[in-house]
């Protein structure tokens, strides 16, 4: 009788030990899997950030380069539509598919970072150029304009996840002289 | 009857003993194989990440250098792209002590090179100083003062950066 109960006790101990081992390894594998998924997500985000840095800074560079003759046609630094149209024309030198919507200029890219039309269903990223007329100044014969450049990942639904980078392009150009010449 | 009972007990005891031994060993092998798989996956991931970092460095080191050079030498629209010995060069003109000088930045035999010389000197592009490894470089001037550089890495991937002079207009 004693022998039998001791054998049952040993089997129970072995079962418990096995269960604990299985549980431990299950938890470990779940953690490992999570880490792999996280690593994959971080890699994707890094690629997106690389695109946003190179293309975002390129757009800023183009905006800051805007030639004086195009800025000379500005009749009112508070006219957002006119300023955006000028910005759209400036970036079109490098991004021919850039398009102007009501309140922004949009430049779209596919998953591989190739520039594509705004209407393209495969757009994965876009760069939005906006301009707030309240931030623009017109003093001392110069127009001081601020353009905001936002790089968005269109594959992310949440707003805080989709915004990759924001830049500000400060443009200062002779203004009154050109405006008076037009007058 | 007694002999039969003894025989049954022996067989039963033997069977239980075999399961007790085989099950933990099988479980051990399952865990060992799983651990090996995780290790292989992690090593593969680490290798891939390191490779990506190296490839990014290949491209962005070249693009950043060119971009900085455009910003640094943004004076009187003195930057252009010229072709010398069939190679596209970012050409920066400068003027010191009443003498014109020119700086060429270009890709030559797998290296990004920079050559600073007198504007009139006839000098070979092989004489330039090595800056960094370069696996392919294309330059394009879209408009006066607007340059687009496309650099490739060891894996054949490319990145593009546009730099524009502000002194041109």
């Amino acid at each position: 009788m004693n022998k039998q109960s001791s054998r049952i006790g040993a089997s129970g101990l072995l079962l418990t030990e096995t269960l604990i081992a299985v549980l431990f390894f299950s938890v470990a594998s779940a953690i490992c899997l999570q880490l792999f998924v996280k690593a994959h997500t971080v890699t994707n985000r890094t690629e997106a950030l690389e695109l946003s840095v190179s293309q975002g800074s390129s757009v800023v560079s183009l905006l800051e380069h805007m030639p004086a003759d195009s800025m000379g046609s500005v009749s009112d630094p508070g006219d957002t539509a006119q300023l955006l149209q000028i910005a759209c024309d400036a970036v079109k030198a490098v991004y021919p598919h850039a398009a102007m919507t009501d309140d922004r200029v949009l430049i779209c890219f596919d998953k591989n970072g190739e520039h594509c039309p705004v209407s393209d269903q495969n757009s994965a990223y876009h760069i939005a150029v906006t301009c707030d007329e309240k931030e623009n100044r017109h003093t001392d014969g110069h127009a001081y304009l601020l353009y905001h450049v936002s790089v968005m990942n269109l594959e992310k639904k949440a707003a805080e996840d989709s915004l990759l980078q924001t830049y500000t392009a400060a443009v200062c150009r002779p203004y009154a002289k050109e405006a008076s010449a037009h007058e | 009857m007694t002999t039969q009972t003894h025989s049954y007990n022996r067989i039963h005891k033997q069977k239980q003993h075999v399961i007790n031994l085989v099950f933990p060993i099988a479980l051990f092998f399952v865990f060992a194989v799983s651990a090996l798989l995780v290790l292989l996956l992690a090593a593969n991931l680490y290798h891939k990440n390191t490779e990506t970092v190296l490839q990014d460095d290949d491209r962005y080191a070249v693009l950043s250098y060119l971009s900085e050079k455009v910003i640094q030498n943004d004076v009187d629209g003195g930057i252009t792209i010229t072709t010398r010995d069939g190679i596209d060069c970012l050409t920066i003109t400068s003027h010191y002590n009443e003498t014109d000088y020119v700086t060429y930045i270009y890709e030559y035999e797998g290296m990004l090179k920079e050559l600073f010389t007198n504007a009139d000197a006839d000098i070979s592009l092989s004489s330039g100083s090595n800056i960094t490894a370069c696996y392919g470089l294309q330059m394009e001037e879209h408009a006066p003062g607007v340059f687009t550089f496309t650099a490739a890495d060891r894996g054949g991937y490319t990145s593009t950066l546009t730099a524009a002079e502000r002194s041109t207009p």
Side-chain angles (χ1 to χ4, degrees):
Chain A
M1 183 68 186
N2 279 345
K3 229 178 182 180
Q4 201 176 5
S5 65
S6 129
R7 203 164 59 224
I8 289 166
S11 301
L13 198 68
L14 184 73
L15 184 67
T16 312
E17 189 190 334
T18 311
L19 281 173
I20 289 170
V22 168
L23 196 72
F24 173 75
F25 279 98
S26 302
V27 170
S29 65
I31 291 169
C32 280
L33 212 66
Q34 268 187 334
L35 286 175
F36 282 124
V37 171
K38 202 174 176 184
H40 183 70
T41 313
V42 167
T43 307
N44 285 349
R45 183 158 175 84
T46 307
E47 283 173 7
L49 280 172
E50 279 169 6
L51 177 97
S52 72
V53 168
S54 59
Q55 300 301 336
S57 58
S58 295
V59 170
V60 170
S61 190
L62 284 168
L63 291 173
E64 290 181 341
H65 167 80
M66 280 197 290
D69 53 355
S70 73
M71 293 306 295
S73 64
V74 177
S75 54
D76 178 10
D79 186 352
T80 307
Q82 195 178 25
L83 296 177
L84 285 177
Q85 187 58 57
I86 290 165
C88 188
D89 293 341
V91 297
K92 268 189 174 174
V94 176
Y95 304 102
H97 301 303
M100 197 179 144
T101 62
D102 293 341
D103 59 345
R104 61 190 58 200
V105 176
L106 285 179
I107 306 161
C108 289
F109 300 88
D110 64 15
K111 269 184 183 176
N112 302 318
E114 298 291 329
H115 177 44
C116 63
V118 175
S119 55
D120 195 330
Q121 296 295 317
N122 297 320
S123 299
Y125 307 95
H126 80 212
I127 295 178
V129 181
T130 54
C131 186
D132 187 352
E133 72 272 9
K134 289 172 192 163
E135 294 174 333
N136 295 334
R137 298 283 178 271
H138 175 208
T139 52
D140 305 329
H142 287 85
Y144 299 93
L145 311 168
L146 285 182
Y147 285 98
H148 298 285
V149 178
S150 314
V151 189
M152 313 283 280
N153 185 348
L154 301 176
E155 290 174 333
K156 301 283 179 189
K157 301 289 177 205
E160 64 269 22
D161 291 338
S162 63
L163 183 64
L164 292 168
Q165 289 274 1
T166 53
Y167 298 90
T168 303
V171 182
C172 172
R173 288 284 182 260
Y175 170 72
K177 195 179 171 185
E178 293 293 330
S180 60
H182 282 280
E183 284 163 14
Chain B
M1 184 67 184
T2 319
T3 319
Q4 270 183 345
T5 313
H6 276 298
S7 169
Y8 172 79
N9 280 346
R10 203 170 61 244
I11 290 163
H12 185 67
K13 194 177 174 185
Q14 202 174 9
K15 265 186 185 172
Q16 205 178 36
H17 183 72
V18 168
I19 286 166
N20 280 351
L21 186 71
V22 168
F23 184 70
I25 289 172
L27 198 66
F28 170 75
F29 275 107
V30 167
F31 288 153
V33 169
S34 303
L36 192 70
L37 277 175
V38 168
L39 208 69
L40 284 172
L41 274 170
N44 188 39
L45 203 71
Y46 182 73
H47 178 257
K48 201 178 156 187
N49 280 351
T50 312
E51 196 69 23
T52 308
V53 168
L54 284 173
Q55 288 178 348
D56 289 348
D57 283 352
D58 290 342
R59 282 175 281 144
Y60 289 107
V62 171
L63 292 177
S64 301
Y65 188 79
L66 290 165
S67 168
E68 283 305 313
K69 278 286 171 181
V70 170
I71 294 166
Q72 196 180 19
N73 296 283
D74 189 357
V75 182
D76 299 330
I79 306 173
T80 51
I81 292 173
T82 57
T83 305
R84 204 182 150 101
D85 300 338
I87 296 170
D88 283 341
C89 306
L90 184 72
T91 308
I92 303 162
T93 51
S94 46
H95 189 80
Y96 303 111
N97 297 329
E98 298 178 0
T99 311
D100 289 329
Y101 293 93
V102 67
T103 305
Y104 297 107
I105 303 172
Y106 51 93
E107 187 226 341
Y108 189 86
E109 293 182 346
M111 293 299 293
L112 183 75
K113 286 184 177 249
E114 183 170 328
L115 177 65
F116 178 75
T117 178
N118 191 302
D120 303 325
D122 185 21
I123 195 163
S124 167
L125 289 182
S126 59
S127 315
S129 313
N130 291 339
I131 304 298
T132 183
C134 184
Y135 298 87
L137 176 64
Q138 285 182 332
M139 301 179 190
E140 201 177 343
E141 191 168 3
H142 291 279
V146 180
F147 309 100
T148 294
F149 306 108
T150 305
D153 61 32
R154 62 192 74 189
Y157 295 102
T158 57
S159 283
T160 302
L161 187 74
T162 299
E165 281 182 283
R166 296 179 74 173
S167 63
T168 308

